[in-house]
């Protein structure tokens, strides 16, 4: 019974969790296409990216359910059968690698929109592509010998490398975003509030995916003869897909909190522009190091204050 608890039991728990999170993915996708994508007039490319990520998430869910069905029904009573991975495992693993690369690429694109130089994004993308290359290699190894015993030998090193690189990329993306957003600070509290909100969200999304990847590495090292590593590995796809959708769907909340018009770029790292009324003078944060003094208006009437309203405006795609 102990063997079943740490093998089939672990996989079953993983299936329940990823199924719930897949429902969250679908709910967020529906909200994006019916609300956020329309309200913020997102580009076709962004909508295609979201559609592809959700489709891969769905494939991951179907394949996860299939190999669980294989273990629980087709191979019922066959303890030795639990050591052989069904073909659907590959359909479970491939989407994880592709979703990871797509979402990390999206976050790197945000950095490029802020930084406007190609070198830094390329340096971040290199380990991301290396991670995907190692992932594809591991799938080739599994395809030739689909035995779970490999997770205690050959594949342990690969799992550590893949998820270690993934964790490093996520942490670097979060740190770079925080730094770049910090350089855009101005003397306008409303603009700074938006930047702070984006920075907090960047840290949160990076931390969630990084923690999940660390759990994969930890279980691979500490519990090599169990399937807990597959349980946490299956969660990676959900973490990345939901982090992408949450990034897009939270834009309206930040707009309401900032009390100013906020478009697509607010959470995408595009040009952030602060406008001062009533003279309509404007500046872009990309072009300055420090915020200028707010413009003032002379008041011909004594004792009447003239309010200068500032709003944060972000241009989209």
């Amino acid at each position: 019974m102990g063997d079943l608890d740490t093998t089939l039991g672990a996989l079953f728990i993983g299936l329940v969790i990823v199924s719930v999170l897949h429902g969250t993915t679908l709910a967020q996708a529906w909200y994006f296409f019916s609300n956020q994508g329309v309200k913020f007039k997102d580009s076709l490319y962004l909508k295609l990216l979201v559609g592809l990520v959700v489709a891969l998430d769905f494939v991951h869910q179907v394949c996860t359910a299939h190999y669980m069905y294989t273990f629980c029904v087709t191979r019922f009573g066959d303890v030795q059968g639990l050591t052989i991975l069904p073909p659907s495992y590959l359909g479970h693993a491939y989407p994880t690698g592709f979703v990871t690369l797509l979402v990390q690429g999206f976050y790197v694109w945000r950095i490029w929109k802020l930084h406007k130089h190609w070198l830094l994004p390329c340096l971040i993308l290199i380990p991301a592509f290396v991670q995907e290359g190692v992932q594809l290699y591991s799938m080739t190894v599994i395809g030739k010998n689909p035995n779970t015993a490999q997770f205690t030998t050959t594949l342990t090193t690969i799992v550590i490398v893949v998820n270690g690189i993934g964790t490093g990329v996520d942490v670097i993306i979060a740190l770079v975003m925080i730094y770049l957003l910090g350089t855009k600070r101005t003397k306008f509290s409303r603009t700074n509030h938006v930047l702070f909100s984006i920075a907090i969200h960047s840290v949160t999304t990076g931390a969630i995916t990084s923690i999940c990847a660390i759990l994969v590495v930890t279980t691979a090292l500490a519990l090599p003869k169990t399937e807990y590593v597959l349980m946490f590995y299956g969660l990676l796809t959900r973490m990345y897909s939901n982090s992408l959708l949450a990034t897009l769907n939270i834009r309206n909340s930040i707009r309401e909190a900032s009390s100013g018009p906020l478009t697509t770029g607010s959470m995408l790292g595009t040009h952030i522009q602060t406008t001062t009324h009533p003279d309509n003078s404007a500046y872009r944060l990309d072009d300055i190091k420090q915020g200028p003094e707010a413009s003032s208006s002379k008041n011909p009437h004594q004792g009447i204050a003239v309010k200068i309203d500032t709003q944060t405006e972000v241009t989209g795609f």
Side-chain angles (χ1 to χ4, degrees):
M1 182 62 68
D3 291 336
L4 291 178
D5 287 336
T6 58
T7 54
L8 192 59
L11 292 176
F12 179 78
I13 294 174
L15 174 62
V16 172
I17 297 175
V18 299
S19 298
V20 172
L21 292 177
H22 180 63
T24 305
T25 301
L26 295 179
Q28 289 209 73
W30 174 83
Y31 183 69
F32 169 77
F33 284 110
S34 64
N35 188 294
Q36 298 292 290
V38 176
K39 179 180 297 184
F40 293 96
K41 299 180 180 180
D42 292 326
S43 70
L44 177 62
Y45 295 108
L46 179 60
K47 293 177 180 178
L48 288 175
L49 172 65
V50 172
L52 180 57
V53 168
V54 174
L56 289 171
D57 196 90
F58 176 75
V59 171
H60 179 274
Q61 175 64 30
V62 171
C63 292
T64 301
H66 180 269
Y67 80 70
M68 274 301 301
Y69 180 88
T70 301
F71 285 150
C72 295
V73 179
T74 306
R75 299 177 185 175
F76 177 76
D78 183 7
V79 178
Q80 286 298 117
L82 297 177
T83 62
I84 306 299
L85 292 171
S88 55
Y89 173 79
L90 297 178
H92 159 85
Y94 277 119
T96 300
F98 290 130
V99 168
T100 300
L101 184 61
L102 288 172
V103 175
Q104 288 178 342
F106 169 78
Y107 290 146
V108 171
W109 178 82
R110 289 195 311 170
I111 291 175
W112 178 80
K113 294 293 287 186
L114 271 178
H115 192 55
K116 284 302 181 183
H117 293 288
W118 59 268
L119 181 59
L120 180 60
C122 287
L123 291 176
I124 301 175
L125 279 177
I126 289 175
F129 278 104
V130 170
Q131 174 192 11
E132 178 61 15
V134 177
Q135 165 86 359
L136 294 175
Y137 170 76
S138 67
M139 294 302 99
T140 302
V141 173
I142 293 176
K144 292 180 179 179
N145 182 22
N147 195 308
T148 57
Q150 292 186 91
F151 286 102
T152 63
T153 55
T154 307
L155 292 181
T156 298
T157 302
I158 296 178
V159 168
I160 294 173
V161 171
V162 169
N163 291 278
I165 295 176
T167 302
V169 172
D170 292 337
V171 171
I172 291 173
I173 289 175
L175 292 177
V176 171
M177 280 294 295
I178 293 173
Y179 171 76
L180 292 178
L181 290 171
T183 63
K184 306 296 184 182
R185 289 179 60 85
T186 72
K187 293 184 178 180
F188 296 125
S189 59
R190 187 177 296 174
T191 299
N192 292 338
H193 174 74
V194 173
L195 295 175
F196 179 76
S197 299
I198 299 173
I200 291 297
H201 185 77
S202 299
V203 172
T204 302
T205 53
I208 291 174
T209 54
S210 297
I211 290 173
C212 189
I214 291 173
L215 288 174
V216 174
V217 174
T218 302
T219 51
L221 292 173
L223 304 170
K225 296 183 179 181
T226 68
E227 303 297 342
Y228 288 112
V229 60
L230 293 181
M231 180 181 72
F232 289 112
Y233 180 74
L235 293 176
L236 278 174
T237 305
R238 302 294 181 273
M239 296 296 103
Y240 279 107
S241 59
N242 276 284
S243 70
L244 170 65
L245 289 165
T247 297
L248 297 173
N249 290 337
I250 202 175
R251 289 173 294 176
N252 192 55
S253 299
I254 291 184
R255 180 180 67 176
E256 293 176 352
S258 65
S259 300
L262 201 63
T263 60
T264 302
S266 63
M267 293 305 298
L268 304 183
T270 56
H271 298 296
I272 303 176
Q273 177 176 299
T274 301
T275 306
T276 304
H277 299 287
D279 62 350
N280 292 324
S281 61
Y283 64 87
R284 290 193 316 183
L285 296 180
D286 304 69
D287 302 327
I288 62 174
K289 293 183 179 179
Q290 295 180 349
E293 295 291 333
S295 60
S296 60
S297 300
K298 293 183 178 180
N299 183 12
H301 303 288
Q302 294 294 330
I304 300 177
V306 177
K307 179 182 179 182
I308 301 176
D309 186 28
T310 61
Q311 65 179 18
T312 302
E313 183 177 327
V314 187
T315 58
F317 292 81

